[in-house]
Amino acid sequence: MEDEDIALNSVLGLELNRVFFAVRETANKQKIIEFAREVLQSERPERPGSVSPEGPSS
């Protein structure tokens, strides 16, 4: 099952990359980045004391 998840994530990552470069408007690229970030954060288990990629929260 884990191998299937890894394969699916690879395919999804490649497709997201293709769509990102096909989009011309910067605002739409930002929406793609925000969506991908939300999906990644929802997939990762919460770890106490972890720092987000944007930096420590205030």
Side-chain angles (χ1 to χ4, degrees):
M1 182 69 166
E2 188 175 322
D3 290 339
E4 291 173 5
D5 290 342
I6 291 170
L8 179 60
N9 286 340
S10 295
V11 169
L12 291 173
L14 289 171
E15 187 64 16
L16 182 62
N17 193 36
R18 185 191 67 77
V19 169
F20 182 81
F21 285 105
V23 171
R24 295 182 187 264
E25 296 82 18
T26 302
N28 288 337
K29 286 187 178 190
Q30 186 62 37
K31 288 179 185 177
I32 293 170
I33 292 168
E34 290 169 5
F35 173 75
R37 190 172 284 148
E38 288 174 14
V39 170
L40 285 174
Q41 288 175 350
S42 72
E43 293 289 320
R44 291 183 180 160
E46 289 293 322
R47 290 183 289 179
S50 64
V51 177
S52 67
E54 293 83 26
S57 58
S58 345

